[in-house]
Amino acid sequence: MLKRLLPILIAVALVGCKNQQLKQTEVGSGKFAVNKQVEAKVDSLLSLMTLEEKIGQLNQLSGNGEVTGPISFPAEYMEALRKGLVGSMLNINGAAYTYKVQKVAVEESRLHIPLIFGYDVIHGYKTIFPIPLGEAASWDMEAIEKSARVAAIEASAAGQHWTFAPMVDIARDPRWGRVMEGAGEDPFFGSAVARARVKGFQGSKLSDTSSIAACAKHFVAYGAAQAGRDYNTVDISERTLYEVYLPPFKSALDAGVVTFMSSFNELNGIPVTGNKAMVNDLLKEKWGFNGFVDSDWGSIREMIYHGYAANEYEAGYLAMSSGVDMDLEGRIYLAQLKKLVEDGRITVEQLDEAVRRILRVKFELGLFDNPYKGCDSIREKELLLNPRHLEIAREVTRKSLVLLKNENVLPLSRNIRSIAVVGPLADNQDELIGTWSGRGEGKHVVSVLSGIREKLPNGNIYYAKGCEIVGENKAGFDEAINAARKADAVVVVVGESAMMSGEALSRAFLDLPGVQKDLVMELNALHKPLVVVVMNGRPLTIEWMDKAVPAILEAWLPGTMGGLAIADVLFGDYNPSGKLPMSFPRNVGQIPIFYYQKSTGRPPRQEERYTSKYIDSPVSPLYPFGYGLSYTTFEYSNLSISSPSIKMDETLKVSVDVRNSGKYDGEEVVQLYVRDMVGSVTRPIRELKGFKKIFIKSGESARVEFSLTSNDLAFYNQNMEYIAEPGDFMLFIGGNSDASLGLGFRLEE
Ligand code: GLC
């Protein structure tokens, strides 16, 4: 071991500092802070670096493990490593492989600067959790943090130092394929999820063996792509940018995230990867971000295709001068920065600042103390898919499931004589891990059929696929119908394939693909107890299903333990508690659809002609943001506030009784919404300002409390000042964004 580290010790000694243990960044305790000892080491190392070696640190190449974008050049990179021309690699997987590559970079280069290995650990590394939109549906920040922690433990055991997550893009358009990757439509909620995920990935100390650097992406407003078409133009108001799309990034920053990723999209005419106002001026200067900014895959070059850069030289200039520190698989910095510096377009100080930020993160990760951090095949073998991780995945997955409808079908009885389990996703494993599934493998996934078999080891279970996910072939219908005829109850598992959501996977239609709808309707026509389990990477237009079938369980793409978690809910071993993080539209025509709409001058009234509505569809979503049922019922009462008004510097205490009036113990997500009745800028009819997930035993009650201050009521006024204005407010509390239990209060000067 010492032999391997000897070059590092020499390099570090060269920088003229003792190799004492550094005071490490305490993550989660606030913004990533600069550490004087680290800065001294960075300064010394910088002073030894040639121009080429500095540029090398900004160069990030993809390995040939697998690619996650259009590979621009063949991945021959060992020579570049030896010359110190690579600062980071992505898609290099496994303790052995990362060790092999790191050894070349560290032991065969002049200054032995370690690589930082990055990978898309989006919802698990080997143990795959529900897609992030599904996990968000748990509304359980502890569970979400725990999931990221497990992902970090497994990824770090496989040699990864850095994940390109959390994706914190707010999304109001389910046509966009990447809604699966985020936390849905609300900035307050998305900010809470961002914080939980950063803390889970980065742990308590970045240098800990199981900590990996997190990455807030895609900065910024990538989810506002016009028409839900990935990579498409984003043109939004400054106020919408600040009130909707920026907050989760600020939350990630305040949680200590050490990297950001600039997005592909243009923002109001300027591609973000070349947008100095956003990256340098706001993120780095105004917000004080001390980590580094990575481009997205080739997004520097893509400024040429945007029509914003004339050529690679200009693209490199625009990105560098905007504050993008690292070039993800673009090789523009490698090819152009030397000339840009020699031409004086980019100063040595600008170059040094980018290198400094990257070296700072590498030092904080402990990579100079141990560049082989994580390259431990024994630990890798012990930790990947280990039983405790699988159990945690089952717990998190259960919490992610959302009961959308239940007319006395669920929970099913374990004594049921026979059950039909049908549909193209009923006995499927590969689709259940979704996209961005890291090193997850379908063969480790528990299918729904297997999960049900585990619940009914002696039950009569009749399985039939019925049809494929796509295609018009109905030849399998008879078998499915016959299976259902024989059974006392029917579980139909339908939805999207993994490759129907994710990057570059937008959909113009949001129906169940293929002939799955016909299969569900024919089974439903048997009038048996029937539940549809829907697996999807985004909200779907399933109003027909809601009208027709008696029970619907939203399962998202549930990951490795999906089948067991779903069976736990179907048979009542877990009372579903999930709530939707995104509105479900009735039809594509309603999109973009989200709960915090503005009132307009003619608020929608279906029965009145001249109001803001459709003549061929309701305005309301099929299921609103925050919606989800339980096997029990929760009743809200005794809503009270500490005072009818508060001053700017006072706190309003809000409390409400929540009673479990049903026969099952269960969890409820109590949500607090606020409306500012009159503002110098119009305000949404509702805004989420608090939520608490609580467990209440059947027949018992809980008193739930929230606090509101003037800062919670602030918004960007006509001058874009973030201020609260005196006036009348309404607050609403309940189990979804349509909550009707409300009270008024005033905010005084
Ligand atoms: C992809 C994605 C980004 C990902 C990166 C590396 O194109 O946009 O989210 O982290 O490239 O795989």
Side-chain angles (χ1 to χ4, degrees):
M1 190 62 167
L2 183 61
K3 189 169 78 56
R4 289 185 202 162
L5 292 178
L6 199 56
I8 293 298
L9 297 179
I10 294 168
V12 171
L14 272 177
V15 299
C17 291
K18 285 198 311 316
N19 190 16
Q20 70 278 20
Q21 188 55 33
L22 296 174
K23 178 186 168 306
Q24 297 300 337
T25 300
E26 293 295 330
V27 174
S29 58
K31 194 168 57 181
F32 174 42
V34 170
N35 174 306
K36 282 204 300 294
Q37 293 168 315
V38 168
E39 293 313 289
K41 290 171 174 271
V42 170
D43 285 341
S44 302
L45 188 48
L46 260 176
S47 68
L48 300 173
M49 295 171 78
T50 64
L51 176 60
E52 289 75 10
E53 288 166 333
K54 290 179 182 176
I55 292 169
Q57 284 302 301
L58 315 188
N59 182 35
Q60 179 180 36
L61 299 183
S62 177
N64 42 21
E66 75 256 82
V67 291
T68 48
I71 274 272
S72 39
F73 302 96
E76 236 335 280
Y77 47 71
M78 284 302 184
E79 209 33 50
L81 293 173
R82 292 185 183 95
K83 291 176 184 164
L85 298 182
V86 186
S88 170
M89 300 287 310
L90 69 147
N91 297 328
I92 298 281
N93 281 296
Y97 193 12
T98 51
Y99 172 72
K100 173 171 171 282
V101 175
Q102 187 74 299
K103 192 167 186 300
V104 171
V106 163
E107 299 184 13
E108 300 180 34
S109 67
R110 189 175 76 89
L111 285 177
H112 320 293
I113 299 174
L115 293 168
I116 177 171
F117 290 113
Y119 190 54
D120 292 283
V121 187
I122 308 298
H123 52 110
Y125 180 79
K126 193 70 180 177
T127 301
I128 303 303
F129 287 76
I131 53 171
L133 188 64
E135 236 182 41
S138 71
W139 287 60
D140 184 329
M141 297 307 123
E142 277 179 31
I144 290 171
E145 182 175 342
K146 204 188 280 186
S147 163
R149 190 87 290 277
V150 166
I153 290 167
E154 293 195 357
S156 60
Q160 299 306 327
H161 306 136
W162 174 27
T163 177
F164 308 122
M167 182 274 219
V168 300
D169 300 304
I170 294 298
R172 298 160 153 178
D173 189 331
R175 291 172 294 181
W176 188 47
R178 300 195 80 164
V179 298
M180 55 76 64
E181 211 176 327
E185 69 188 52
D186 181 73
F188 179 92
F189 180 70
S191 298
V193 173
R195 185 165 43 251
R197 302 202 79 204
V198 167
K199 288 173 67 180
F201 287 129
Q202 297 192 167
S204 54
K205 274 187 200 170
L206 267 184
S207 61
D208 287 349
T209 307
S210 67
S211 292
I212 57 176
C215 178
K217 74 180 187 182
H218 307 78
F219 190 75
V220 65
Y222 179 33
Q226 286 174 354
R229 210 176 77 224
D230 206 357
Y231 317 122
N232 202 3
T233 303
V234 171
D235 202 295
I236 55 178
S237 73
E238 190 184 18
R239 180 167 294 102
T240 296
L241 173 65
Y242 274 78
E243 287 195 345
V244 175
Y245 295 98
L246 281 171
F249 287 98
K250 184 64 170 53
S251 175
L253 178 91
D254 293 342
V257 76
V258 295
T259 72
F260 272 65
M261 182 180 284
S262 68
S263 56
F264 291 118
N265 57 284
E266 72 158 69
L267 172 62
N268 303 338
I270 301 175
V272 179
T273 299
N275 193 321
K276 182 176 177 297
M278 297 313 296
V279 181
N280 183 69
D281 302 352
L282 176 67
L283 175 59
K284 290 186 172 179
E285 291 189 2
K286 188 166 183 196
W287 285 4
F289 176 58
N290 295 310
F292 70 84
V293 177
D294 195 5
S295 80
D296 202 335
W297 188 294
S299 64
I300 296 175
R301 170 174 288 100
E302 290 179 10
M303 286 194 277
I304 300 169
Y305 317 139
H306 273 287
Y308 187 65
N311 50 47
E312 294 195 356
Y313 178 82
E314 290 303 325
Y317 166 72
L318 286 165
M320 193 73 213
S321 56
S322 296
V324 174
D325 303 302
M326 187 179 276
D327 176 5
L328 198 171
E329 199 30 273
R331 304 186 201 202
I332 297 268
Y333 282 178
L334 195 62
Q336 304 297 338
L337 268 181
K338 186 169 192 296
K339 186 171 178 351
L340 282 163
V341 171
E342 288 164 352
D343 294 351
R345 298 285 302 278
I346 292 291
T347 66
V348 173
E349 290 69 30
Q350 282 176 301
L351 177 61
D352 285 358
E353 176 59 15
V355 180
R356 166 183 307 286
R357 286 170 177 268
I358 292 166
L359 293 179
R360 179 182 294 153
V361 172
K362 290 185 176 182
F363 271 111
E364 292 284 0
L365 277 167
L367 294 179
F368 281 93
D369 295 327
N370 176 11
Y372 301 103
K373 172 180 178 185
C375 300
D376 181 337
S377 299
I378 295 169
R379 191 166 170 268
E380 181 181 36
K381 195 167 176 51
E382 281 168 5
L383 291 170
L384 271 55
L385 285 173
N386 93 358
R388 179 63 190 133
H389 292 174
L390 293 172
E391 191 45 47
I392 291 171
R394 183 173 181 171
E395 286 165 17
V396 174
T397 308
R398 280 196 297 240
K399 290 169 179 276
S400 73
L401 305 176
V402 184
L403 184 61
L404 298 176
K405 184 177 181 184
N406 184 29
E407 288 174 347
N408 306 316
V409 172
L410 296 174
L412 299 172
S413 160
R414 271 260 190 43
N415 303 319
I416 192 167
R417 278 178 312 126
S418 59
I419 186 169
V421 183
V422 298
L425 287 162
D427 187 26
N428 186 292
Q429 294 173 285
D430 291 340
E431 306 303 342
L432 273 62
I433 52 178
T435 49
W436 292 123
S437 49
R439 307 299 287 169
E441 293 179 83
K443 67 182 181 184
H444 298 125
V445 170
V446 181
S447 69
V448 174
L449 181 60
S450 301
I452 291 175
R453 283 193 172 129
E454 185 157 313
K455 294 292 180 187
L456 304 176
N458 308 309
N460 294 315
I461 300 172
Y462 309 120
Y463 165 71
K465 191 173 192 177
C467 64
E468 299 301 331
I469 294 170
V470 293
E472 302 305 311
N473 186 342
K474 296 186 179 182
F477 275 32
D478 287 349
E479 186 190 10
I481 302 289
N482 292 336
R485 281 191 206 287
K486 293 188 291 187
D488 291 342
V490 185
V491 175
V492 194
V493 190
V494 291
E496 295 180 314
S497 68
M499 288 303 288
M500 287 181 173
S501 64
E503 182 174 357
L505 297 169
S506 296
R507 291 182 66 193
F509 303 94
L510 300 183
D511 303 317
L512 275 191
V515 293
Q516 298 181 80
K517 173 180 175 180
D518 298 338
L519 176 66
V520 169
M521 294 307 281
E522 290 199 24
L523 289 163
N524 194 48
L526 300 175
H527 300 300
K528 293 204 170 215
L530 177 140
V531 52
V532 180
V533 177
V534 190
M535 294 187 173
N536 42 306
R538 53 153 67 76
L540 296 178
T541 49
I542 52 172
E543 185 170 31
W544 59 270
M545 187 189 292
D546 183 69
K547 284 178 178 167
V549 309
I552 305 171
L553 182 67
E554 171 58 69
W556 312 106
L557 293 167
T560 306
M561 301 299 275
L564 280 172
I566 290 165
D568 287 342
V569 166
L570 292 177
F571 288 91
D573 292 335
Y574 179 78
N575 182 358
S577 62
K579 300 279 186 176
L580 296 178
M582 264 187 98
S583 309
F584 271 50
R586 296 173 189 275
N587 49 66
V588 173
Q590 291 181 310
I591 293 168
I593 186 165
F594 47 96
Y595 82 92
Y596 49 99
Q597 299 277 344
K598 296 297 189 68
S599 174
T600 79
R602 297 195 173 187
R605 289 189 190 83
Q606 205 59 38
E607 66 288 354
E608 290 179 34
R609 176 162 174 203
Y610 297 104
T611 65
S612 177
K613 67 176 187 309
Y614 305 103
I615 60 171
D616 52 0
S617 163
V619 167
S620 63
L622 176 61
Y623 305 117
F625 172 81
Y627 171 86
L629 300 176
S630 167
Y631 292 152
T632 190
T633 48
F634 294 100
E635 289 170 2
Y636 290 74
S637 61
N638 301 327
L639 173 60
S640 69
I641 49 179
S642 53
S643 162
S645 68
I646 56 169
K647 291 188 173 53
M648 287 294 173
D649 61 353
E650 292 179 331
T651 298
L652 184 73
K653 295 285 186 192
V654 186
S655 51
V656 67
D657 284 341
V658 184
R659 182 169 174 274
N660 179 339
S661 51
K663 61 182 183 174
Y664 290 93
D665 298 347
E667 295 155 289
E668 168 70 328
V669 180
V670 182
Q671 302 157 47
L672 167 68
Y673 296 87
V674 166
R675 179 179 182 178
D676 185 347
M677 301 311 287
V678 177
S680 62
V681 169
T682 58
R683 305 301 307 137
I685 56 176
R686 295 204 176 188
E687 289 178 83
L688 182 70
K689 293 297 179 185
F691 62 91
K692 287 185 180 175
K693 185 162 192 175
I694 53 168
F695 174 82
I696 307 177
K697 292 176 76 63
S698 170
E700 296 188 0
S701 289
R703 184 91 181 142
V704 181
E705 290 198 352
F706 295 94
S707 296
L708 281 175
T709 66
S710 58
N711 190 52
D712 297 318
L713 308 174
F715 60 93
Y716 290 92
N717 69 7
Q718 291 183 19
N719 303 320
M720 287 303 287
E721 296 152 337
Y722 192 68
I723 51 104
E725 295 175 349
D728 292 323
F729 291 79
M730 280 296 293
L731 65 85
F732 302 93
I733 286 199
N736 66 64
S737 54
D738 278 348
S740 54
L741 181 62
L743 266 181
F745 67 94
R746 272 191 67 77
L747 177 62
E748 308 290 0
E749 282 293 357

